[in-house]
Amino acid sequence: MMCTMNGKLGGSEDDSISKSSPSTEMVNPFVHHLELTTTYEKIKAGILTVLVLPLRLLIIMGLLIGAWLLACVGLYGLSEDELRRKPLTGWRLKLREIITVLGRGTYYAGGMRYTVKGRQASRSEAPILVIAPHSTFLDAGIVYVCGFPSIIVRRESGLNPFLGKLINFTQPVYVWRDDPNSRQKTIQEIIDRAKSNENWSQVLIFPEGTCTNRSCLITFKPGAFYPGVPVQPVLLRYPNKLDTVTWTWEGPGVWKLMWLTLVQPQSNCEIEFLPVYHPNEDEKKDPKLYAQNVRRLMARALGVPCLDYTYDDCQLAAKAKALGLDQNSQLMQTHKYRIRLGLTRRRVEEYLVATNNNSLSAEGTKWLNLEEFSTFLEVPPHEPAVRQLFNVFIKGDGERINSREYLLTALIISKACSKEDMFHIAFQLCGDKDEHLNKEDFKFVMRLFCRLPNEELDRWFKSIDAQECGRISYYDLEEYTAGRFGDILGCTVNPFTDRLSNHDKRD
C-alpha cells in the first residue's frame, strides 16, 4: 500500500527543535525513493549480485538455522503460559546468549556494521528501551545488539514456523489484533513486566508503531510509558551514501531493499544509547505527556522535527489513494473516526447488519440522536470521536442521522479495495436478491458518492434503465459509465451530460 502525506511542525512543539533542525516544510515521512542512477552503482550491484550475494545468503541461512535449532531446544518443554508468566533461567539463558551471537553474525554476514555510542542501562536502571526512529525491517538487528530483550509483536508473527521460534524465545509481549481488549491487555502486560521484581529481560519498544524515512519523529504511542518507570531512549541512524534500508509505505518493496542492501560492500548503522530518562510526577500520571517529552528529547538529539502523524493516518491516506477519494470526503471522514473508535477492528457495523437483515432497507431506517447513536455502536457517548462521526452525517440543522446511510457508508469504505468495489458493494448491500436497485434506492446510493440533485439522478436512472424495467444492476451502471467510476466520485455536475443529452435526443 502507498500513501502520500505532507505536514508541518506545529507551534505546540519545542521551539528549540524547529530552530536546530532542517526545514520542516512539506516533510513527508512515509515516502522513500531509491534508484541506482549512476552507471557505477549499476555495474557494482551487478558484479556483487553474482560474486557476493550467493555467499552471503548461504552464511546467513546457516546462522539462522543454527539459531532456530537452539531456540527450539530452549523452548522444549515450555508451554506458552509458562513463557508469559516466568522469565527464563539457567541453561536457557545461556542458549539465549549464544543465539544473540549468532543473530549478530547474520547481520555481519550481510554487510551490516554497528557503531555503538553511549552505554546500555541495566534492567534495574531502565526496564524499557525506547527505540526511534523506526525506518526499516533491519531495525530488528538492535535486538541482538541489546542482548535479546523482549519485544512487542503481533501474535501472528509468533505462529510462523521458522521465525516464530526465535521471536518466542525473547518472551515477547504479544498483540492480539482480533481481540477488542488487546490494547488493554498489552498495556497491562508491559506494566507487569516493567514493575516485576523477577529477572525479566528489558522490554524493547518502537513507539512510533510504523516505519518512516527518518525525516522526523511521528507520534509516539503511549504504551511504553504507562508503567511510569524510567526508560532509556535509543537512537538509530543509517549514515550510508546510498540508502538501501528505508522501508516506507510509498517506495521500494522488501525484496528490492534486501537485494540492494546485500550487494553493498558495507552498510552502517549507528546505535546511540542516551541517558536514562526519569519521569516526573506529572509524566507518571500522564503517559501521553511522558511520551511527548521523550519524543522531544530524541528529536532534539537527532536534529529532526516532531510531526503528529500516526500509523492510523498512514492507513487512512493509503485507503484514500486506493479508492481515489479526497481525505475530506464523507466516506473517508467516516473511516477516520471509525478507526479512532476501534470500530474497524471490532467490525461493529457488520455485526449490526448480520443480526438485522432489514437494517439496510428503506423500511429498516432509524433516525438516531447522538445518545442513541453511541448506544447503537456500543461506544461511550463522551468520546470526542463519537460526536465527530455523528456530525459527518448531520444534514442542515437536524440533530438526528439516518442509520441506513451510516451503515452503508461504513461497510462500503471498510470492504472496498477500489472504486469499482465501492459501487459493486453498494448494489450488493442495498439491492434486491438479484442485486438490482429501484429508482429510490439508486438515488440513495448515488448520493453517497456524488452531490447531484434529485432531478439529475432521475435523468441518470432513466438513461441507464434503457429497457424501462424500473430497476438497474451494477453491470448496467458499469456499462453505461464505461467503468469510469472515478468520474462519479464527489462530482457536483453530471460527468456524463453529453451521453444523457444524446439519449434525450433519441427519445
Side-chain angles (χ1 to χ4, degrees):
M1 291 203 292
M2 300 180 180
C3 75
T4 53
M5 305 174 71
N6 294 311
K8 300 178 182 179
L9 182 65
S12 62
E13 298 297 348
D14 193 322
D15 290 340
S16 62
I17 296 175
S18 59
K19 290 176 182 177
S20 62
S21 63
S23 172
T24 61
E25 293 296 312
M26 302 301 288
V27 171
N28 186 336
F30 303 114
V31 173
H32 175 55
H33 300 291
L34 172 62
E35 295 296 337
L36 300 180
T37 54
T38 67
T39 303
Y40 169 73
E41 288 289 350
K42 293 175 182 177
I43 293 174
K44 182 178 72 173
I47 293 173
L48 294 180
T49 297
V50 176
L51 299 181
V52 176
L53 182 60
L55 179 61
R56 282 184 168 175
L57 288 175
L58 187 63
I59 297 172
I60 289 169
M61 288 306 299
L63 291 170
L64 282 176
I65 290 171
W68 176 78
L69 289 172
L70 290 176
C72 289
V73 172
L75 291 170
Y76 182 77
L78 288 178
S79 67
E80 187 171 305
D81 187 55
E82 287 175 314
L83 277 173
R84 296 183 68 176
R85 286 191 296 107
K86 299 186 299 184
L88 298 179
T89 57
W91 63 272
R92 299 183 199 272
L93 279 181
K94 296 294 183 184
L95 281 184
R96 179 180 280 181
E97 292 174 8
I98 299 173
I99 291 174
T100 298
V101 173
L102 293 177
R104 292 191 68 169
T106 61
Y107 282 83
Y108 191 88
M112 187 67 70
R113 299 295 180 267
Y114 289 100
T115 301
V116 178
K117 299 179 180 180
R119 179 186 70 86
Q120 180 179 352
S122 65
R123 184 188 182 278
S124 61
E125 296 173 291
I128 296 175
L129 300 173
V130 175
I131 318 295
H134 185 23
S135 62
T136 171
F137 49 87
L138 293 174
D139 288 343
I142 196 172
V143 171
Y144 301 111
V145 175
C146 293
F148 229 44
S150 299
I151 57 177
I152 313 298
V153 67
R154 291 180 305 164
R155 182 68 186 95
E156 296 87 344
S157 300
L159 298 176
N160 185 290
F162 187 73
L163 292 178
K165 295 292 184 181
L166 292 170
I167 291 172
N168 286 332
F169 205 49
T170 71
Q171 294 189 284
V173 175
Y174 278 121
V175 177
W176 303 74
R177 293 198 170 179
D178 292 334
D179 183 352
N181 299 315
S182 175
R183 182 172 177 272
Q184 288 73 22
K185 291 179 180 178
T186 301
I187 290 171
Q188 188 57 53
E189 191 164 352
I190 293 172
I191 293 172
D192 293 342
R193 291 275 188 99
K195 293 187 174 182
S196 173
N197 293 323
E198 296 187 82
N199 189 32
W200 285 100
S201 300
Q202 289 173 295
V203 179
L204 184 150
I205 298 177
F206 292 93
E208 291 176 293
T210 191
C211 290
T212 70
N213 57 20
R214 299 187 298 279
S215 60
C216 64
L217 290 185
I218 63 173
T219 301
F220 278 13
K221 294 186 176 182
F225 307 94
Y226 274 100
V229 298
V231 302
Q232 183 170 32
V234 185
L235 308 179
L236 289 180
R237 301 182 180 92
Y238 291 89
N240 300 299
K241 182 178 179 181
L242 182 65
D243 184 358
T244 63
V245 302
T246 300
W247 186 37
T248 56
W249 286 73
E250 184 171 343
V254 61
W255 296 113
K256 181 177 180 179
L257 291 174
M258 287 182 65
W259 164 57
L260 287 176
T261 300
L262 289 172
V263 299
Q264 299 304 307
Q266 179 174 308
S267 298
N268 299 297
C269 176
E270 290 182 359
I271 299 174
E272 182 178 358
F273 292 94
L274 297 181
V276 174
Y277 189 103
H278 295 268
N280 58 36
E281 290 304 314
D282 288 338
E283 291 169 333
K284 289 179 182 179
K285 296 175 183 176
D286 187 347
K288 291 184 178 179
L289 175 65
Y290 190 0
Q292 289 171 2
N293 290 341
V294 171
R295 180 174 69 144
R296 286 194 181 102
L297 174 73
M298 297 177 76
R300 188 179 297 113
L302 289 163
V304 299
C306 295
L307 296 183
D308 290 328
Y309 287 135
T310 66
Y311 176 72
D312 291 342
D313 291 323
C314 202
Q315 281 186 308
L316 192 70
K319 187 84 170 180
K321 184 168 186 177
L323 300 181
L325 293 170
D326 185 278
Q327 288 193 53
N328 292 319
S329 67
Q330 176 173 303
L331 286 157
M332 292 312 304
Q333 289 293 303
T334 301
H335 194 52
K336 176 172 71 175
Y337 297 126
R338 288 178 64 245
I339 289 174
R340 291 184 185 177
L341 291 167
L343 298 173
T344 53
R345 185 181 64 253
R346 294 190 287 124
R347 300 179 179 177
V348 171
E349 294 85 2
E350 290 185 37
Y351 174 77
L352 287 170
V353 172
T355 55
N356 183 0
N357 293 329
N358 198 37
S359 58
L360 288 176
S361 67
E363 296 77 15
T365 298
K366 298 177 181 177
W367 289 92
L368 308 171
N369 60 29
L370 178 60
E371 185 177 347
E372 292 167 336
F373 182 61
S374 64
T375 303
F376 185 66
L377 298 180
E378 298 181 357
V379 292
H382 58 78
E383 285 278 356
V386 176
R387 163 58 80 175
Q388 292 166 324
L389 180 58
F390 184 80
N391 288 344
V392 170
F393 291 89
I394 286 180
K395 301 293 189 295
D397 298 327
E399 282 299 322
R400 292 180 179 272
I401 66 170
N402 185 311
S403 65
R404 184 191 187 202
E405 181 183 3
Y406 169 75
L407 287 173
L408 185 59
T409 302
L411 291 174
I412 288 172
I413 199 64
S414 64
K415 291 173 174 289
C417 297
S418 66
K419 302 182 187 78
E420 293 79 7
D421 272 353
M422 289 193 292
F423 289 88
H424 201 179
I425 290 168
F427 274 78
Q428 289 175 334
L429 293 173
C430 277
D432 56 23
K433 63 179 181 178
D434 298 320
E435 298 182 5
H436 285 67
L437 298 179
N438 60 34
K439 182 191 288 188
E440 292 308 311
D441 285 340
F442 170 77
K443 289 161 63 177
F444 175 78
V445 165
M446 294 311 298
R447 279 194 291 267
L448 300 179
F449 301 116
C450 59
R451 297 183 295 277
L452 295 173
N454 276 331
E455 298 76 15
E456 195 70 25
L457 291 174
D458 285 335
R459 292 181 60 219
W460 203 345
F461 183 87
K462 179 182 177 183
S463 183
I464 298 171
D465 183 22
Q467 304 300 319
E468 298 184 356
C469 301
R471 60 184 198 145
I472 62 174
S473 70
Y474 163 79
Y475 300 102
D476 294 330
L477 177 64
E478 182 182 44
E479 181 180 1
Y480 178 76
T481 61
R484 289 161 52 204
F485 292 107
D487 292 343
I488 301 173
L489 298 176
C491 64
T492 54
V493 294
N494 197 316
F496 308 106
T497 301
D498 291 341
R499 188 176 301 184
L500 283 171
S501 298
N502 292 333
H503 180 277
D504 291 341
K505 289 175 182 176
R506 289 196 301 272
D507 289 345

